[in-house]
Amino acid sequence: MNNVLLPRTDLLSSVMNLVKPFAATVLSGDEASDPQTFQLEYPQIVVQIPWRVETSRYKLVTTATYTQQVDLYWPADKVGTMMDTLDRIELLLPHLRLEKYQCDYIPDSMISPQPQVDTTTSEKLIHGVVRADFFVTEN
């Protein structure tokens, strides 16, 4: 049972593969919060664990709405490259394909607020966020 690919895991790994070319460090939300695996290398992208918002069951099909968030942490002096990366991710996310499950971007669900200065680390960073919703057919 450990080798079964679950929809949440499929979504997480697919988004991580999608953003991997844009930063030297790409971590899942669990890795970023674990003291043994987190890294202080920037630029850094953290792909949060997708959360399941809603489930619908039909006769033969179960679909769920998942919200996926991607956090970007860039050195403050590289704000231009971070904005370019945010734009690329915003363009690519609606075309996301999963390894096992059917996945459809929910139109107009993408949210990307203005990046903010992050002062919680010793290095001055810019923190950007992209969030989008997806319908995932779970069977």
Side-chain angles (χ1 to χ4, degrees):
M1 189 74 178
N2 287 342
N3 60 356
V4 173
L5 182 62
L6 299 173
R8 183 185 322 270
T9 307
D10 198 0
L11 183 56
L12 176 67
S13 64
S14 296
V15 174
M16 288 182 74
N17 288 333
L18 180 84
V19 301
K20 209 174 272 187
F22 304 124
T25 304
V26 176
L27 302 170
S28 71
D30 284 349
E31 292 169 328
S33 62
D34 185 341
Q36 294 187 2
T37 55
F38 86 101
Q39 297 181 25
L40 295 174
E41 296 177 60
Y42 302 101
Q44 182 178 104
I45 297 176
V46 178
V47 180
Q48 300 299 336
I49 306 301
W51 61 93
R52 189 189 222 182
V53 180
E54 170 184 3
T55 304
S56 299
R57 296 190 197 303
Y58 304 101
K59 287 184 179 181
L60 299 174
V61 177
T62 300
T63 61
T65 302
Y66 286 87
T67 298
Q68 177 65 66
Q69 179 172 315
V70 179
D71 292 282
L72 291 83
Y73 297 93
W74 249 247
D77 61 342
K78 307 265 191 225
V79 74
T81 59
M82 191 198 77
M83 295 304 288
D84 289 346
T85 303
L86 270 172
D87 289 346
R88 287 184 186 111
I89 292 171
E90 288 173 8
L91 289 170
L92 292 172
L93 267 180
H95 306 285
L96 181 69
R97 294 291 165 248
L98 305 187
E99 182 180 324
K100 179 178 178 183
Y101 299 93
Q102 181 179 339
C103 170
D104 295 306
Y105 167 71
I106 299 174
D108 300 323
S109 70
M110 193 167 308
I111 299 169
S112 185
Q114 182 70 29
Q116 303 291 318
V117 175
D118 185 341
T119 57
T120 60
T121 62
S122 58
E123 186 174 343
K124 191 174 180 184
L125 300 173
I126 299 293
H127 176 206
V129 175
V130 178
R131 188 177 309 133
D133 294 335
F134 297 90
F135 282 126
V136 178
T137 303
E138 295 187 326
N139 58 347

